[in-house]
Each structure stands twice: as structure tokens, then as C-alpha cells.
Amino acid sequence: MTSLLATVPAASDSAAPAAATSSLANHVREGLRKPFKTLSSMYFYDDEGSRLFQAIMALPEYYPTRTEFGLLTTHRAAICAALRPTSTDEHFYLMELGAGDGLKTKILLRHLLDTGAKFTYVPVDISTAALDGLAAALQAELPDLAVETVVADYADALTLMASRPGRKAVLFLGSNIGNFLPADRHTFLRRLRQPLTSDDRLLVGFDLQKDPRQIRAAYDDAQGVTAAFNLNLLHRLNRELQADIDVANWQHYTDYDPLTGAVRSFLVSTKAQTVHFAALQESVSFAAWEMIHTENSYKFTKPLIETLAAEAGFRMQEFFTDERAFFSDVVLAP
Ligand code: AVI
């Protein structure tokens, strides 16, 4: 397999379009120069990508969301007890990293409100629009809930909140932790650990290892929604980097590797082709069947979670799972 990146020098730097200096532009330039081309799944989530992800979560094959929803519903009292202050009147901050539509979190929020807990819900996201939408929806649905939104990078938000008196519990649900490579996951957990005290808690959603066919099906659904989600990245490059990608020449491919516990997703070039990125003033050639690696979705076991938690300075306090042991929500204590 051969690949070639041809760089056409810019007539002048000042003539380069703004898109050429965006983080997506830099990411694409870097990722498509690698011997095995890669793009980060972080860039899946433009408006269309977010809409497709909502559709994925409702698919019959995509078990994680529905399983975690059931698990939080069944164990809400025990989970809240593990997160709540036990013997203090101090204020309690329930922070959530990447809250989305808050559907799963509302199970815990309702339970905390019903049991008279005094707390503030702090959803954290880098998108002001997403947070404003969530805060408005919560205000309408749970008018008694105190909400304080934080627009920031996750680790920065925790550092920011560390100066506030009161205990914190941090939620990182939905198996988002599975999208990190192991080294990045370690760095991320260590950064989360730093501002937390021994009274604080972290609740993390981990998808568990299971029948490999079941896992693979979740990432290669019969209706092709996951394929559209992956291929949308190419549409995004066409739109935002003025690329001329013919998406009909690309396919979604995914596989689960039980040795590493990773589902890996790829975009496959079905023929030899060259793509021009006008905003980058660069062209990239792809051999027939050459692939771009676009996503990792790691699956875990309880011992693995214990080990990775310990490596980041946490101990596993509680491990909640569903009756099929498909998914787990794990309470970690510093
Ligand atoms: C957001 N994340 C946890 C999803 C996952 O399962 O890795 C993203 C996803 N990719 C394909 N389907 C869903």
C-alpha cells in the first residue's frame, strides 16, 4: 500500500483562508501525513454528526445507552448514596463532563431532589449552545434544580471548581472513556484526579467485554446509521476544508479485537484516488483499499478497570452493572 501527500506551497501566507489555521485543518494535515492515516473521532460531532449519534443511541444493535439507562434506573439510590456527602452539611456539586441531552443524568438528578439533597448540578461542555439548551430544558423540567453551567475543557473545569468549598462528584457517563487510547486515557484520568480530594467521587461509565459479535454489531448496524456517522466526517471535510471528496468512493469498516478490547473504525478508500483540500492548499492520495483510522471504542473488564483506576490514583469504590454484565458504572474514589 502506498500513499502520497503532495503539498502545494501557498502563494502567500496572508492569502491562506482562515480554515487553514483551524484546529480541524491542523489535525487533518497531521493525520493524513501519517503512514497509516488517522483522523480523530472528536471531529465526528458537528451538527449532523451529533444528530446521527442521537440516532445511533436509539438503534436496536447499540446496547450501551439503553443498558446504562436501565442500570442507572435500577441502582439510582445506591449510586447517589455513593456520590452524596454522608455526614456533612457542606454544599455538594454534581459536575458532569459532556452532559449531552442529560437524559441519563436526570435519573440521578430526580433521585437526589426527591431525597432532599442540597446540591448544584454543573454540566461542563465546550459548546455554549449545548449547555444553554440543556439548562433551559432542565429549568422547565426540574424547576427546583440549581444549575450552573461551565464552558470549558473538562480538566480545566475541575480545576476551576476545586477552589469552591464543598464536595464534588464528577460524572463521566456513556462509555466516553472508551474513545481514548490507553495512554491518553491515563493522562486524562490523572488530570481529573489532581484537583479532587479524598472526599470527592468520580462516576465513570465503562462498556464491558462480551460476545464479540454483539460488540461488532453495535458498530455496524443493519440500517447503516453508524456508517453514515463515520462517513459524515468526509462530508465535514468537504464543507469546512473545501475538499472534493467523492463520498461514494468510501466505505465504513469496523472490527472488534478481543486481544486489545478495542473496536476500531475506519474509512476505506474503495479505489485509488487523490483528494484536494482547497483550504489547506494540499492534495492527498489514497491507494485502493487504503484506510483512515477514525475511532477507537475500548471495552473493559472489572480487573482492567481496577488497574487503570489505580494507575491514575483512584480506587474502585463501587462497581454497578446490569444483569447481563454488558455495561458498568463505576464509582472511583481518590
Ligand atoms: C461517544 N462514544 C462513547 C460512542 C462509542 O460507542 O464509542 C461513539 C460511537 N461511535 C460509533 N457508535 C457510537
Side-chain angles (χ1 to χ4, degrees), residues 44-45 53 56 62 174-176 179 218-219 226 229 295-297 299:
F44 281 164
Y45 303 91
F53 183 54
I56 286 175
Y62 194 75
S175 185
N176 290 317
N179 296 130
Y219 293 85
T226 311
F229 177 63
E295 188 176 48
N296 298 294
S297 296
K299 310 301 167 193

Side-chain angles (χ1 to χ4, degrees), residues 1-5 31-38 230-231 234 249-253 265-275 283-294:
M1 186 183 293
T2 57
S3 63
L4 175 86
L5 180 95
L32 298 188
R33 276 180 185 158
K34 290 183 180 164
F36 199 117
K37 296 175 171 64
T38 63
N230 197 5
L231 290 162
L234 299 176
N249 295 332
W250 292 82
Q251 287 175 356
H252 165 68
Y253 175 72
S265 298
F266 302 88
L267 288 163
V268 187
S269 169
T270 57
K271 58 179 237 185
Q273 54 185 318
T274 298
V275 169
S283 292
V284 182
S285 294
F286 297 88
W289 305 109
E290 186 175 356
M291 307 192 194
I292 307 174
H293 177 203
T294 52

Side-chain angles (χ1 to χ4, degrees), residues 94-267:
L94 187 69
M95 298 183 66
E96 180 163 25
L97 311 180
D101 59 9
L103 202 66
K104 284 174 289 190
T105 320
K106 272 186 254 172
I107 301 165
L108 303 181
L109 296 175
R110 279 209 180 87
H111 184 83
L112 287 167
L113 288 172
D114 289 350
T115 52
K118 181 173 163 252
F119 71 104
T120 302
Y121 174 55
V122 186
V124 178
D125 206 293
I126 46 164
S127 158
T128 314
L131 286 176
D132 288 351
L134 177 63
L138 287 172
Q139 174 65 42
E141 228 177 301
L142 302 171
D144 295 336
L145 179 71
V147 181
E148 196 179 316
T149 58
V150 174
V151 182
D153 160 64
Y154 295 161
D156 289 349
L158 252 68
T159 309
L160 196 86
M161 292 301 290
S163 58
R164 302 271 188 95
R167 282 189 1 90
K168 281 113 205 154
V170 182
L171 311 181
F172 193 50
L173 303 177
S175 185
N176 290 317
I177 193 85
N179 296 130
F180 287 98
L181 282 168
D184 298 336
R185 177 174 70 221
H186 176 75
T187 308
F188 176 72
L189 286 173
R190 281 210 72 89
R191 280 197 72 197
L192 293 189
R193 166 68 188 87
Q194 263 158 26
L196 299 178
T197 74
S198 58
D199 281 339
D200 297 331
R201 294 291 177 267
L202 177 61
L203 179 70
V204 188
F206 290 92
D207 193 12
L208 298 176
Q209 296 184 9
K210 58 184 70 63
D211 180 344
R213 286 158 291 233
Q214 181 113 36
I215 295 176
R216 198 175 47 198
Y219 293 85
D220 202 8
D221 64 278
Q223 293 170 55
V225 182
T226 311
F229 177 63
N230 197 5
L231 290 162
N232 178 57
L233 187 53
L234 299 176
H235 289 294
R236 182 170 184 182
L237 301 187
N238 280 345
R239 258 191 326 269
E240 295 187 29
L241 300 179
Q242 291 84 54
D244 61 359
I245 303 168
D246 182 350
V247 180
N249 295 332
W250 292 82
Q251 287 175 356
H252 165 68
Y253 175 72
T254 195
D255 208 3
Y256 173 62
D257 174 11
L259 282 176
T260 56
V263 173
R264 292 206 176 83
S265 298
F266 302 88
L267 288 163

